Amino acid sequence: MVRSWDEAINLVKERIDGTARQVGEGFPHWADPNTGIWRTTANGDWTGGYWLGMLWLISRDGGGEPYRRLAETVCARLAPRVTADTAFKAATFYYGAGLGSLLAGSESARAMGLAAANDLKQRFDPSLGLVPLGARAEEGAHVGATASSIDSLVVSLLLFWAARESGDEEMKGIATRHTSRVLALHQREDGAFIQSSKLDPKTGELLERYTHKGYGANSVWARAQAWGVLGATISCLSGGIDERLLAAATKGADWWIDHVPADGVSYWDFDDPAAPNTERDTAATAFMASTLLKLSSIAPSESLRRKYRAAAEKAATALVGSYLTPVRSDDRRPVGMLVEGCFNKREDSRPEDFINNAELIFGSYYLFEALHILSGRLRPSDV
């Protein structure tokens, strides 16, 4: 099904309206792909900020004031998580509060985002060279409170933004150290990212590197690859071009492009031997579509910029044509759902994440962001 970027944006807008009516004071986490009914969290978990990010984006359009008011109300509900001992709250507060400042000029959102960033700044561990996951990290029971993961690059997003907003050079330095350390720990020589690492809590020595959400310990989980490229790219856009970070981003992007299926939509894990008869992950693909658009604005050569833009357009075209409801003329599901997101298919996952085909709020956000860039409504550096 051929759709324009604007048509796809309008479908997602309709879904946003339906989500707002359905979730009440909860935060959408994932939705049943057949009914569109959301499973919600009460406190936002690590995904709640993406719902807010969608509201902040839509608030910029004509008639957007009701969405801005709703976003302000929802953002205020995040206050109890400002001091939570989890690195992953950075995603909640960057997309939920930082974007409120960047896109809507919200002073209350800005203040909340800065408060969360200052809390994370204090949690930086010089021995480890990074901000550890924390005792209350959403997956801390699986990998340990002082471990690290490529997902924790969301800390960099929040700290670089907050350092720029506040002029805090110490925070910028911590953000740079965290980003460099996490990338060095988790990126292989070939450009692929392994998700997690176990560190010596006293010396920071790398003891073990492994993937705990993918097919196997040494496999490349699609979302880990996306997190790595996203974190390195946005760190360059927000904190200033750092050649080491840019090299990590381009190396990771090239690996993705070389290994993703022909239609541009990734499997849930690149090393699943059942492929092509295994789950896709549209959420990871949406991550990369948005990230490749950003990377195409700062890549070190014109040929790379064209390459990344083309790959992003290919992925976005596949997502809106084959996975954004309705996908057929007889499709009676709620419109604007990005289906076939694989949250976590491993049986040792958190119960609230154990779903292998769903609409994932973070996947929907990144697609919506990519569509705004593709349509010219948003510059890559805006978020």
Side-chain angles (χ1 to χ4, degrees):
M1 183 180 296
V2 178
R3 290 172 173 151
S4 69
W5 305 132
D6 285 335
E7 181 184 356
I9 285 173
N10 288 334
L11 290 174
V12 179
K13 282 182 177 180
E14 189 167 340
R15 178 60 173 158
I16 289 171
D17 289 339
T19 297
R21 290 191 297 268
Q22 184 189 134
V23 300
E25 294 191 357
F27 292 85
H29 196 53
W30 58 262
D32 184 295
N34 297 309
T35 67
I37 295 174
W38 285 99
R39 175 162 184 161
T40 62
T41 63
N43 66 359
D45 202 75
W46 71 269
T47 59
Y50 291 105
W51 168 229
L52 274 158
M54 298 183 81
L55 294 174
W56 293 124
L57 277 171
I58 199 173
S59 74
R60 292 158 40 102
D61 290 347
E65 184 58 29
Y67 299 101
R68 177 195 168 100
R69 291 197 299 270
L70 177 59
E72 295 275 8
T73 299
V74 176
C75 188
R77 298 185 191 129
L78 295 176
R81 284 180 58 78
V82 165
T83 58
D85 185 13
T86 167
F88 300 128
K89 72 183 180 189
T92 309
F93 286 99
Y94 177 69
Y95 289 99
L99 263 60
S101 174
L102 288 169
L103 299 178
S106 170
E107 287 299 324
S108 59
R110 178 180 183 275
M112 190 173 294
L114 290 176
N118 276 296
D119 182 82
L120 282 171
K121 172 185 172 182
Q122 304 307 317
R123 297 182 188 278
F124 178 79
D125 187 329
S127 297
L128 301 179
L130 49 74
V131 177
L133 300 188
R136 302 295 295 175
E138 286 75 359
E139 57 190 32
H142 289 165
V143 298
T146 59
S148 183
S149 76
I150 195 65
D151 320 33
S152 72
L153 283 180
V154 291
V155 168
S156 309
L157 276 55
L158 184 66
L159 293 189
F160 275 124
W161 164 77
R164 195 172 72 243
E165 283 289 309
S166 63
D168 187 335
E169 288 298 317
E170 181 184 6
M171 183 179 288
K172 182 178 180 180
I174 287 173
T176 300
R177 290 181 65 186
H178 176 84
T179 310
S180 299
R181 176 69 166 151
V182 171
L183 289 170
L185 284 169
H186 299 105
Q187 190 169 37
R188 301 187 320 205
E189 284 298 316
D190 65 355
F193 288 97
I194 297 298
Q195 185 190 5
S196 298
S197 58
K198 181 179 180 181
L199 309 175
D200 185 303
K202 293 183 179 179
T203 67
E205 178 187 358
L206 175 62
L207 302 176
E208 183 183 3
R209 188 166 66 172
Y210 59 98
T211 289
H212 72 276
K213 284 188 177 179
Y215 174 77
N218 295 311
S219 66
V220 181
W221 179 51
R223 224 156 57 235
Q225 193 68 20
W227 278 125
V229 182
L230 181 148
T233 299
I234 298 182
S235 292
C236 284
L237 283 167
S238 187
I241 298 295
D242 181 312
E243 295 302 328
R244 297 167 302 166
L245 306 187
L246 187 57
T250 57
K251 199 172 183 180
D254 290 343
W255 191 95
W256 176 285
I257 292 169
D258 289 343
H259 291 82
V260 76
D263 63 357
V265 180
S266 71
Y267 301 117
W268 76 286
D269 189 295
F270 284 93
D271 294 304
D272 186 342
N277 300 312
T278 191
E279 290 88 349
R280 299 295 186 111
D281 188 1
T282 58
T285 304
F287 270 46
M288 282 300 296
S290 174
T291 301
L292 288 168
L293 289 169
K294 294 174 184 293
L295 186 55
S296 72
S297 71
I298 58 172
S301 70
E302 185 59 34
S303 62
L304 282 178
R305 294 184 182 206
R306 290 195 300 269
K307 175 183 178 180
Y308 299 147
R309 176 81 185 197
E313 290 184 357
K314 182 178 185 178
T317 298
L319 291 176
V320 302
S322 300
Y323 299 94
L324 187 68
T325 59
V327 296
R328 306 175 308 276
S329 60
D330 61 345
D331 194 340
R332 295 295 179 261
R333 293 175 292 182
V335 304
M337 298 172 60
L338 180 61
V339 296
E340 294 196 37
C342 184
F343 204 142
N344 197 332
K345 63 177 287 182
R346 290 175 56 129
E347 293 186 359
D348 60 353
S349 65
R350 293 193 307 164
E352 57 267 48
D353 301 344
F354 188 46
I355 185 74
N356 66 346
N357 176 9
E359 176 186 15
L360 310 180
I361 189 62
F362 47 91
S364 294
Y365 167 80
Y366 284 117
L367 176 60
F368 201 43
E369 181 184 276
L371 292 171
H372 275 71
I373 297 173
L374 287 164
S375 67
R377 303 182 189 202
L378 195 69
R379 296 174 301 174
S381 59
D382 284 343
V383 293

